Amino acid sequence: MSQQQISLPAKLINGGFAGIVGVTCVFPIDLAKTRLQNQRRGQQVYKSMVDCLIKTVRSEGYFGMYRGAAVNLTLVTPEKAIKLAANDFFRYHLNKDGRGLTVFKEMLAGCGAGMCQVIITTPMEMLKIQLQDAGRLAAQQRKPAVMPTVKLVVGSAAVPSRYYNAGVAPAMQRVSATKIARELLHTQGIQGLYRGLGATLLRDVPFSVVYFPLFAHLNRLGQPNPSEAAPFHWSFFSGCAAGCTAAVAVNPCDVVKTRLQSLSKGANEESYSGVVDCISKILRKEGPSAFLKGASCRALVIAPLFGIAQVMYVLGVGEFVLGYTPVSLFSA
């Protein structure tokens, strides 16, 4: 294989740049997804994604839709870079015999990529969710029927909620990911940032197992011949279709992960001791349909995110930066 094909630095640049562009475009939808997934039956603040975004703008302003975006933009570069580069790395080594990749090997490469990315994904999602969900908790407290204060539970010990509850006082609305991370490290150590690691693996490994083989096969349909790359627009739509499919398929795991990683709890919202406890409580109290909460939002987030990521690969932005090849929208 050529240097361009196996250059990890170029792939890291491609993945990082794609992550930044994609997150900037779809972050408000991701915020709506988190808030919808954390709602319990009988305590709904938002009726739908559109209702959530409208209420967020009204109560928190335009930039309220980007609450938590800073930590996501900071960590999405290494997260997407690791995910996409790891998949290519495993595909390359699994195809050293030159016979091509079977579907099983493609799934194996995706599995390896999913396991690698959680190193960054887990703390990133952990911090992002606290900031994204703060507005929902504040809105819930403003409802006349919900007067009790929000509680924060970390493990089995209660932690003062002043660091996390963005709905109690204006000063608390300025809480940052840095403060949350510092408090977690102080009270629990590094494992505090990796709360929900099992649920993250449960989501990201199946996602990668579905996404990467599906994208590879869809993208192959657009290749003029085996030696030429598919046009950039075909790669974009292949990435969107594969991302959307994989996102909906693993949405139940994403709901579990979101619930486990949400430290702040609203009135009468239960805590969970682990993945099994979370699944059983959701089934018993909210029914199977609860696992589909935020599925449409997640599909709308993931589809363009991975479509953009694959376009960055086809255009070769990383290779261009490193001086390997030029970028051309018309020749890609």
Side-chain angles (χ1 to χ4, degrees), residues 5 91 101 106 212-236 238 310 314 331-332:
Q5 289 176 296
R91 288 176 68 91
L101 290 173
E106 289 181 334
F212 285 111
L214 182 57
F215 168 77
H217 285 273
L218 290 175
N219 195 54
R220 201 172 296 133
L221 296 175
Q223 292 180 259
N225 58 69
S227 62
E228 291 186 42
F232 79 92
H233 64 274
W234 187 273
S235 293
F236 174 77
S238 297
Q310 297 302 342
V314 172
S331 63

Side-chain angles (χ1 to χ4, degrees), residues 51-306:
D51 182 57
C52 178
L53 293 177
I54 291 174
K55 288 180 178 177
T56 297
V57 172
R58 286 177 179 173
S59 61
E60 303 169 55
Y62 173 78
F63 290 105
M65 294 191 299
Y66 283 87
R67 187 186 291 271
V71 65
N72 215 29
L73 288 171
T74 301
L75 296 179
V76 75
T77 297
E79 189 260 349
K80 281 289 175 287
I82 289 174
K83 185 186 189 80
L84 297 173
N87 178 68
D88 280 353
F89 177 81
F90 289 123
R91 288 176 68 91
Y92 171 70
H93 284 281
L94 288 170
N95 191 34
K96 276 194 170 180
D97 57 7
R99 298 178 181 177
L101 290 173
T102 62
V103 174
F104 175 75
K105 286 186 176 181
E106 289 181 334
M107 295 173 70
L108 194 61
C111 178
M115 294 183 70
C116 289
Q117 77 169 92
V118 297
I119 299 171
I120 302 295
T121 304
T122 306
M124 177 184 76
E125 294 270 315
M126 178 71 180
L127 298 174
K128 181 192 72 172
I129 285 172
Q130 314 316 315
L131 298 173
Q132 285 184 328
D133 202 38
R136 180 189 69 89
L137 296 171
Q140 189 186 87
Q141 283 190 306
R142 287 194 294 269
K143 293 175 68 175
V146 183
M147 295 303 294
T149 58
V150 173
K151 60 182 178 180
L152 172 70
V153 179
V154 180
S156 60
V159 178
S161 61
R162 62 182 180 274
Y163 294 102
Y164 306 92
N165 186 359
V168 177
M172 297 175 192
Q173 294 181 4
R174 293 192 294 269
V175 67
S176 67
T178 303
K179 288 182 180 179
I180 297 174
R182 189 183 299 123
E183 181 68 16
L184 285 170
L185 288 171
H186 176 71
T187 58
Q188 292 192 54
I190 190 66
Q191 64 266 31
L193 290 175
Y194 280 87
R195 180 187 177 101
L197 175 61
T200 305
L201 280 168
L202 196 63
R203 181 197 68 172
D204 289 348
V205 171
F207 177 92
S208 296
V209 167
V210 173
Y211 172 78
F212 285 111
L214 182 57
F215 168 77
H217 285 273
L218 290 175
N219 195 54
R220 201 172 296 133
L221 296 175
Q223 292 180 259
N225 58 69
S227 62
E228 291 186 42
F232 79 92
H233 64 274
W234 187 273
S235 293
F236 174 77
F237 288 115
S238 297
C240 288
C244 180
T245 303
V248 173
V250 303
N251 193 74
C253 302
D254 190 57
V255 172
V256 173
K257 182 199 72 67
T258 300
R259 295 284 183 93
L260 287 174
Q261 289 188 321
S262 296
L263 300 178
S264 300
K265 305 295 182 183
N268 304 317
E269 291 183 356
E270 67 284 343
S271 299
Y272 309 104
S273 60
V275 173
V276 175
D277 181 56
C278 182
I279 293 173
S280 63
K281 285 182 178 178
I282 291 175
L283 278 174
R284 186 172 65 254
K285 297 183 179 182
E286 302 173 61
S289 61
F291 291 107
L292 295 178
K293 287 183 176 180
S296 58
C297 294
R298 181 162 166 76
L300 289 173
V301 169
I302 296 299
L305 195 61
F306 279 86

